[in-house]
Amino acid sequence: MTPTIAVLLIITFVLSTVGLLLLIWSIANNQFSHGQAAARTIFSPGEEGHSEDPARPSDLPFTGDNSEQAAAIEARWAADQSSRTAILTWLSSSVFWLLLGSFFGLASSIKMHFPEFLAASEFLTFGRVRPVHLNAVTYGWASMAGIGVALFLIPRLFKTSLAGGKYAVLGGFIWNIGLVLGLSAITLGLSDGEEWLEFPWQVDLLFVVGGALCAIPLLLTAANRQVEHLYVTSWYLMAALVWFPILFLIANLPFAFPGASGATVNWWFAHNVLGLWVTPIGIGIAYYMIPKILGRPIISYQLSLIGFWSLALFYSQVGIHHLIGGPIPTWLVTLSIVHSVMMSIPVITVAINHHGTMMGNFGRLKDSPTLRFVWIGALMYTVSSLQGSMEALRSINVITHFTHYTVAHAHLGMYAFLSFILFGAVYFIMPRLTNWEWPWRRLISLHFWLVSAGILIYVVSLTVAGWKQGVALLNAAMPFLDIVKMTLPALQARTLGGALMTLGHLVFAFHFIAMLMRHGAATEQPTLFRPAIKETTQ
Amino acid sequence: MKRALAIMVGAALILLLATLTLVVMPYLQMSAEQVPPDLKPYTEQQQRGRQVYIANGCVYCHSQQPRDPSFAPGDKARGWGRPSVPGDYAYDKPHLLGTMRTGPDLFNIGARQPSIDWQLMHLYNPRAIIKGSIMPSYPFLFRHVEEPAEGDKVVNIPPPYGPESGKIVATDDALALAEYMLALDHTYPAPTLPKRQPKSDQPKE
């Protein structure tokens, strides 16, 4: 080991230790110890024990036992209405990008086992359709839906109206323009060339501006807040909105990082988009939705804050596990592997809270669409994160790297975790904004089963085939083309799974539009997966 | 507001720490890395071919980073070459290391398939050469002419993959991409590749 590397290593360890000490210091000094009082801030006075859910059983919604409580519920309704235009801008756009991204994903999948499909046009060649899919679903669907849900949660968490909502609307328009330009650029062959960073850097500026405009209402609303405690969801949302612009700006600095160091920046960014942008949004939403629907606070508030800071400390340094075995310094890879394994700490704390809160309430999954989507999403967060920690180990990574296994893992995270939580949140939010119930409960059910079957087929087939592919690649005795042929059935199964998911998205989008156009009847009874227990009609 | 600000500042500081360790330090270390003397900068045409490679997303199926045989024995045994070192990528802007091996690693494709005719034919239709390949064909990088003009690069496609009449000629983009493929030849020795330590770990100096 050369002295330089030793010094570098020592610096990283010192810095990490300082971070850890700060964490311990803040716990010791009661920075975190609001205990369960803070966990209860999501409830209106007197609301605890009552479920808030579009899919509540046939008893009447909680409206307060006295005038004070009723006023609080009324204020929350006003807070929901205050953010309507801003939320609908972001959510409607996200549904559009979800559909577009799904079709491009499906086309990429078909091309993998039917290479002549749409191959004549340079604009629809595999190498352009695939990044259009990734960017449309990441920056279009997941990011826009995530910001939309955040705009809904922020006024609720701070118990005040959304201030400066018009900045978020403007930001939404700019973000959409960025997507149109960026995806067109990829289609025209003007990609910047690095995965997750394909948009030309000139276009990326629009995302930085659009995202920054969303930070304005966040800050204004935080300044007006009427609650003493900041609930853990707002920690995640605030941090995510701080992290994303920094990440995006540094990673897109033009001409700054050549060659192998460019690869480290590339994967530092790409994994942080997952870890520090969409993950905190997804976890944050689950931290709100699960206790809100169950009407009981999360089981350990302290644990949730430890989970937050350890996520920040560890997740931010895992990116280089994408380059294990690559042409970069070993200390760097080792650092990322260590942090990847350490990620099991925040994952387990979050799991204890999410699933522990669910204990004894699993029956609610039968009737509540939001709870079913969100809890399955939370469960898949636990699964995909622990899988990710394993995948970072050298002995596993040597097999799974460069294979379809990684693709399955990515979809387990971005889809089964994040998108499921976003679906659930949209089912929760829309009735609150439009004062209208979802028109057809069967469509929610259909959506759920289509996307669940789809992602199951997708993940299982590619995980198995990817593992076999990885094992075979290590042994040169098996010719490369035989490996390709071995994976073909899984690639075809992926098209089936992807088609089911796309179909599910069409159902979802149709229902979303019907909701916006106020189809169906205004009902007193909330939309359930199953009809609510029949009221006695003697 | 104070607490909200504290969370945001804390979050930003943690990210800056990660930036320091994963962006700044690797950059400092790797940009000081020696460039192998046998590595040639790309010509203008190869650089253009590299842009064609980027525009058509070859990176989504092909890596350019063989791993150490003691770690992943398949890479070298398949003829993909010695493990790569940071210096090998000194002229790569942006990097094209890749994360997928739906197709083979291309770090040394120029050494494995040094014929430009092979490269062009394979780009026009991979199945004309390799039955069962799932690589897309790139007909839009070629022109179909009845009579090739002076200076046109004719690509002879075996039936039934070629046109019934006339000839297939390569566009400038196809030629540039093929030249870039041929430039992917890193068979020279890497001076910075760490020497394998002898089993009995001798004190270093």
Side-chain angles (χ1 to χ4, degrees):
Chain A
M1 194 190 284
T2 67
T4 339
I5 298 176
V7 168
L8 291 174
L9 261 181
I10 290 167
I11 291 175
T12 59
F13 280 126
V14 166
L15 287 173
S16 291
T17 316
V18 168
L20 211 59
L21 287 174
L22 271 176
L23 187 68
I24 294 167
W25 172 84
S26 45
I27 293 168
N29 283 277
N30 284 346
Q31 295 295 311
F32 289 163
S33 69
H34 303 299
Q36 291 307 90
R40 290 193 170 87
T41 52
I42 57 169
F43 299 112
S44 270
E47 195 197 9
E48 192 184 336
H50 298 267
S51 162
E52 190 200 351
D53 183 2
R56 47 189 304 96
S58 55
D59 56 86
L60 288 170
F62 176 74
T63 49
D65 294 332
N66 53 43
S67 60
E68 196 188 327
Q69 294 180 0
I73 295 282
E74 191 67 22
R76 187 173 70 202
W77 180 81
D80 286 353
Q81 301 304 308
S82 71
S83 49
R84 182 164 64 195
T85 318
I87 299 171
L88 286 180
T89 307
W90 285 84
L91 284 189
S92 316
S93 313
S94 76
V95 173
F96 170 78
W97 295 115
L98 173 69
L99 284 186
L100 186 105
S102 306
F103 284 118
F104 274 80
L106 190 55
S108 323
S109 178
I110 295 171
K111 282 163 170 287
M112 285 285 247
H113 54 82
F114 187 30
E116 294 299 339
F117 177 68
L118 300 176
S121 160
E122 63 178 303
F123 306 117
L124 294 174
T125 188
F126 174 81
R128 299 189 191 181
V129 170
R130 182 197 179 283
V132 167
H133 161 68
L134 183 140
N135 285 283
V137 294
T138 305
Y139 301 112
W141 155 245
S143 298
M144 291 200 84
I147 290 177
V149 177
L151 287 169
F152 174 79
L153 292 178
I154 287 164
R156 278 194 159 214
L157 292 166
F158 295 156
K159 297 206 160 112
T160 179
S161 293
L162 186 74
K166 58 179 186 286
Y167 296 106
V169 175
L170 181 64
F173 277 104
I174 294 177
W175 194 285
N176 275 318
I177 294 170
L179 278 163
V180 171
L181 292 179
L183 297 176
S184 307
I186 295 173
T187 305
L188 294 173
L190 301 173
S191 158
D192 265 359
E194 293 185 1
E195 284 179 76
W196 297 85
L197 292 166
E198 284 93 349
F199 290 160
W201 63 268
Q202 296 89 338
V203 174
D204 290 327
L205 295 175
L206 293 173
F207 292 95
V208 175
V209 173
L213 282 170
C214 287
I216 297 177
L218 172 76
L219 292 172
L220 291 178
T221 312
N224 285 341
R225 76 191 158 98
Q226 305 295 317
V227 282
E228 192 200 342
H229 298 303
L230 287 172
Y231 184 63
V232 61
T233 298
S234 46
W235 293 53
Y236 280 110
L237 295 180
M238 286 190 295
L241 285 164
V242 169
W243 282 327
F244 184 71
I246 302 179
L247 284 170
F248 205 64
L249 198 67
I250 294 177
N252 279 300
L253 288 179
F255 324 117
F257 304 104
S261 70
T264 63
V265 180
N266 188 176
W267 287 107
W268 164 82
F269 170 80
H271 211 100
N272 280 350
V273 167
L274 305 173
L276 298 184
W277 173 234
V278 298
T279 298
I281 289 177
I283 303 178
I285 296 171
Y287 261 125
Y288 184 83
M289 294 294 171
I290 293 176
K292 204 75 179 73
I293 291 169
L294 295 178
R296 60 186 286 201
I298 53 167
I299 57 173
S300 168
Y301 196 72
Q302 263 94 345
L303 213 50
S304 72
L305 297 186
I306 292 175
F308 170 81
W309 287 111
S310 53
L311 174 125
L313 270 173
F314 300 134
Y315 227 149
S316 54
Q317 308 199 34
V318 303
I320 313 303
H321 67 213
H322 287 269
L323 293 166
I324 295 173
I328 52 165
T330 314
W331 67 265
L332 193 55
V333 174
T334 307
L335 184 71
S336 274
I337 295 175
V338 170
H339 281 94
S340 304
V341 175
M342 294 298 272
M343 264 308 290
S344 43
I345 295 175
V347 170
I348 289 168
T349 57
V350 168
I352 291 173
N353 254 328
H354 286 169
H355 311 317
T357 308
M358 282 294 292
M359 281 295 169
N361 291 286
F362 287 104
R364 294 299 313 277
L365 293 175
K366 275 189 293 199
D367 56 24
S368 168
T370 297
L371 191 64
R372 199 192 285 183
F373 272 113
V374 170
W375 180 69
I376 290 181
L379 184 64
M380 289 305 131
Y381 171 68
T382 313
V383 173
S384 66
S385 299
L386 294 178
Q387 184 196 20
S389 296
M390 298 296 291
E391 252 179 290
L393 298 175
R394 280 193 172 86
S395 52
I396 310 275
N397 188 274
V398 72
I399 293 169
T400 60
H401 198 19
F402 302 121
T403 70
H404 299 297
Y405 186 96
T406 315
V407 181
H409 171 66
H411 284 79
L412 192 62
M414 280 297 277
Y415 196 86
F417 155 47
L418 183 73
S419 299
F420 265 53
I421 287 185
L422 291 172
F423 289 139
V426 170
Y427 281 123
F428 183 91
I429 292 171
M430 288 300 285
R432 298 291 179 279
L433 296 184
T434 57
N435 299 311
W436 202 260
E437 292 299 343
W438 289 98
W440 302 285
R441 68 163 191 274
R442 284 181 191 285
L443 284 191
I444 303 180
S445 239
L446 183 63
H447 171 212
F448 176 80
W449 288 110
L450 280 172
V451 297
S452 300
I455 190 67
L456 188 71
I457 295 172
Y458 190 116
V459 171
V460 170
S461 60
L462 284 196
T463 300
V464 174
W467 186 268
K468 285 166 69 183
Q469 179 194 12
V471 171
L473 278 170
L474 288 181
N475 179 5
M478 187 166 183
F480 196 88
L481 201 64
D482 290 356
I483 303 176
V484 172
K485 285 177 183 154
M486 182 176 76
T487 59
L488 273 178
L491 298 180
Q492 286 155 350
R494 189 243 303 263
T495 297
L496 173 67
L500 291 176
M501 285 148 76
T502 307
L503 216 55
H505 300 159
L506 283 170
V507 171
F508 172 64
F510 170 78
H511 211 179
F512 185 90
I513 293 167
M515 182 86 168
L516 284 181
M517 296 174 72
R518 306 214 156 199
H519 272 281
T523 53
E524 292 300 309
Q525 184 149 320
T527 308
L528 304 159
F529 269 138
R530 297 160 182 232
I533 309 128
K534 294 276 180 300
E535 285 165 67
T536 45
T537 49
Q538 269 95 341
Chain B
M1 191 64 201
K2 222 175 77 187
R3 191 173 293 270
L5 216 57
I7 293 169
M8 291 194 262
V9 171
L13 283 179
I14 288 179
L15 181 58
L16 287 181
L17 161 72
T19 312
L20 198 65
T21 53
L22 295 200
V23 174
V24 178
M25 294 202 304
Y27 174 72
L28 292 179
Q29 190 185 347
M30 282 193 269
S31 53
E33 193 87 14
Q34 188 192 346
V35 178
D38 300 321
L39 178 68
K40 293 185 215 59
Y42 297 113
T43 65
E44 207 172 304
Q45 192 190 24
Q46 289 161 354
Q47 194 63 28
R48 175 177 172 175
R50 206 164 186 275
Q51 283 307 318
V52 178
Y53 187 97
I54 291 171
N56 293 296
C58 307
V59 73
Y60 300 110
C61 290
H62 295 285
S63 59
Q64 294 187 15
Q65 45 163 328
R67 290 172 291 180
D68 195 300
S70 64
F71 177 57
D75 292 15
K76 191 151 192 255
R78 286 180 193 280
W80 294 345
R82 62 162 171 81
S84 57
V85 296
D88 291 326
Y89 304 94
Y91 305 115
D92 285 13
K93 289 177 194 174
H95 82 93
L96 293 171
L97 291 181
T99 50
M100 235 355 224
R101 285 179 179 165
T102 307
D105 189 274
L106 298 182
F107 194 59
N108 282 303
I109 186 63
R112 289 210 302 284
Q113 299 292 352
S115 148
I116 194 157
D117 293 301
W118 187 97
Q119 296 290 354
L120 289 169
M121 207 190 303
H122 186 250
L123 284 171
Y124 179 77
N125 190 335
R127 279 155 295 287
I129 297 183
I130 299 161
K131 303 274 177 289
S133 164
I134 58 168
M135 176 168 145
S137 49
Y138 294 90
F140 51 85
L141 292 177
F142 297 84
R143 284 181 298 124
H144 179 206
V145 294
E146 285 310 316
E147 208 45 54
E150 186 73 23
D152 272 356
K153 174 72 184 167
V154 176
V155 188
N156 290 312
I157 311 290
Y161 299 98
E164 305 226 325
S165 68
K167 291 284 177 196
I168 294 296
V169 298
T171 62
D172 290 346
D173 275 352
L175 284 170
L177 179 55
E179 286 295 342
Y180 172 59
M181 290 289 102
L182 300 188
L184 287 176
D185 179 348
H186 301 88
T187 45
Y188 55 80
T192 51
L193 199 61
K195 301 267 182 308
R196 196 63 37 77
Q197 293 290 329
K199 279 276 188 287
S200 54
D201 216 356
Q202 288 147 7
K204 281 168 251 171
E205 196 46 82

